[in-house]
Amino acid sequence: MEQMPPRNTSVTVADVARMAGVSKATAARVLGGYGTVSDRVREAVTTAARALNYRPNELARSMTTGRSGTIGVVVGDIENPFFSLAVRGITDIARQAGFTVILINSGEDAETEKAAIRTLLAKRVDGLIVSPARESDIDHLREATRSGRPMVLLDRGSEMLGVDTVVADDRHAAEGITRRLIARGHKHIAYLTACDTPDHRFHTPADINTGSVRRRIEGFLGVCQEAGLEGIEDWVHVGAATPEHTHRIVETMLTSAQRPTAIIASDSVIGLEVFKLCRELGIRIPDDLSLVSFHDADWTSVTTPPVTVVRQPVYKLGETAARLLVERMNGDEAPATRIVLQTDLVERASVADAPA
């Protein structure tokens, strides 16, 4: 009678094969999910694997099947609720398709992103979802696609890279909220973003390397120029990448002789810092300052007043990107597609007519 290997040893395919009464090659086919075997043999092997508490060697399996069962995801800031929710959409779809997600945070740094891509390729991921830190710096992404791994860009696209892309209608959304603010008499409207420039000053939208933010600023500036607002470029502020930086930028704005009557925050992390600083300075929202934020974060609906937001389909962005990637990994060879998802303006109580 064959003795069962102790549970505290590393159980091999050969151990499973002996217990199931089949060859090692047959057991490997069942455990690796490739080839054809009878239902009786499959049941015998899976029963033996459960009894032995068999755990597959992922590296060996990837060398045999050519697939690791993993998806690599690189995002800019996992602490930002936007990316957290997008990653949830990715992982839900990946799990349904039988893939595990390996997540790496780039911190919006191009060099960190490049190192992350190298690491994921070394781990033999089957596909990549990337939110590029700099849309103009993509040689490493192009090289990754040449390796045969399919890739989908999330929230940020690149016309220089022929891969599937999923974004929101950022420019249209920014145009809509800017028109509403102007219609309510606002002429001094500030736009605040975490993106930075080499000299920490905004000159033109071309200075902004993050496509989603660049499209928003283009929409904002375009509507302001249509309305005849002069010098509006001076009201775009960059570099609000940390709470400390945001605090310093906003405090300077709100204590200046010509302070804005409205602020558009490019994400909810910035929006929260603006809200908190207004409380500290005794500036009333919306009586003294109107506030609009991109991303419908949980906090925006429970403050006093609740904050008007651009609700982005964040979960669906991640979900759609993952679906496209799974289709590619399953052999879809159709031309690359760009999917633009619609946003909604959620009007709450943080916007009022411009102060007289």
Side-chain angles (χ1 to χ4, degrees):
M1 180 178 175
E2 290 283 347
Q3 287 190 334
M4 183 184 298
R7 289 291 181 91
N8 60 357
T9 63
S10 178
V11 178
T12 66
V13 173
D15 296 326
V16 175
R18 279 195 297 272
M19 175 170 277
V22 300
S23 70
K24 181 179 176 181
T26 297
R29 283 199 296 275
V30 175
L31 297 171
Y34 62 92
T36 303
V37 298
S38 68
D39 292 342
R40 180 188 63 79
V41 168
R42 181 177 291 103
E43 177 62 26
V45 172
T46 54
T47 298
R50 284 195 297 270
L52 294 172
N53 197 28
Y54 170 77
R55 295 290 182 270
N57 183 318
E58 297 296 343
L59 178 59
R61 184 168 68 178
S62 70
M63 293 176 67
T64 301
T65 65
R67 301 187 72 165
S68 65
T70 58
I71 292 172
V73 177
V74 183
V75 298
D77 181 6
I78 195 58
E79 289 188 329
N80 189 315
F82 176 93
F83 284 118
S84 299
L85 186 54
V87 169
R88 176 62 185 272
I90 292 170
T91 55
D92 284 351
I93 296 302
R95 184 174 59 252
Q96 292 172 20
F99 291 91
T100 300
V101 170
I102 301 175
L103 174 64
I104 300 181
N105 185 56
S106 73
E108 301 289 11
D109 179 74
E111 294 307 314
T112 302
E113 177 182 296
K114 293 173 185 178
I117 297 296
R118 288 195 297 269
T119 297
L120 291 170
L121 293 178
K123 290 183 176 296
R124 303 172 65 89
V125 295
D126 297 320
L128 293 157
I129 297 176
V130 183
S131 193
R134 296 173 61 92
E135 291 186 5
S136 60
D137 188 356
I138 59 164
D139 284 347
H140 59 298
L141 301 182
R142 189 178 286 114
E143 188 64 29
T145 61
R146 288 180 186 145
S147 73
R149 272 81 161 189
M151 178 185 297
V152 177
L153 300 186
L154 172 70
D155 184 51
R156 305 161 184 181
S158 174
E159 296 179 359
M160 298 180 290
L161 194 64
V163 300
D164 295 323
T165 304
V166 185
V167 298
D169 63 338
D170 294 291
R171 178 167 185 150
H172 182 263
E175 289 173 343
I177 59 176
T178 305
R179 285 195 178 98
R180 288 177 183 266
L181 290 170
I182 292 174
R184 302 202 67 165
H186 293 278
K187 297 181 179 179
H188 297 152
I189 307 169
Y191 189 99
L192 185 57
T193 176
C195 294
D196 209 346
T197 62
D199 64 356
H200 311 297
R201 292 179 60 84
F202 176 81
H203 302 284
T204 71
D207 296 334
I208 304 299
N209 284 298
T210 301
S212 56
V213 176
R214 184 173 62 252
R215 291 189 295 272
R216 293 172 199 166
I217 293 175
E218 287 171 345
F220 166 71
L221 292 176
V223 170
C224 289
Q225 289 161 0
E226 288 174 7
L229 302 186
E230 297 180 357
I232 198 65
E233 292 83 0
D234 295 336
W235 292 90
V236 177
H237 297 269
V238 299
T242 67
E244 294 75 22
H245 289 155
T246 304
H247 190 286
R248 184 165 60 250
I249 294 168
V250 176
E251 185 173 34
T252 299
M253 282 196 297
L254 296 182
T255 56
S256 68
Q258 192 178 40
R259 74 185 191 192
T261 61
I263 291 178
I264 301 173
S266 200
D267 64 54
S268 62
V269 177
I270 293 172
L272 180 57
E273 289 305 314
V274 174
F275 192 96
K276 288 161 59 177
L277 186 56
C278 285
R279 286 288 180 87
E280 291 178 20
L281 297 176
I283 294 173
R284 299 167 301 166
I285 298 175
D287 298 335
D288 303 322
L289 178 78
S290 291
L291 174 63
V292 179
S293 176
F294 275 82
H295 185 49
D296 188 18
D298 289 342
W299 69 267
T300 61
S301 63
V302 298
T303 51
T304 303
V307 176
T308 294
V309 298
V310 175
R311 178 184 289 156
Q312 300 160 284
V314 183
Y315 180 89
K316 191 174 181 181
L317 282 168
E319 184 182 55
T320 304
R323 288 190 192 281
L324 286 173
L325 186 64
V326 169
E327 290 171 4
R328 295 296 184 187
M329 292 187 297
N330 287 337
D332 185 355
E333 296 182 355
T337 184
R338 177 183 175 88
I339 296 178
V340 181
L341 301 180
Q342 300 303 302
T343 58
D344 297 308
L345 178 63
V346 181
E347 297 194 65
R348 296 187 177 127
S350 64
V351 174
D353 292 343

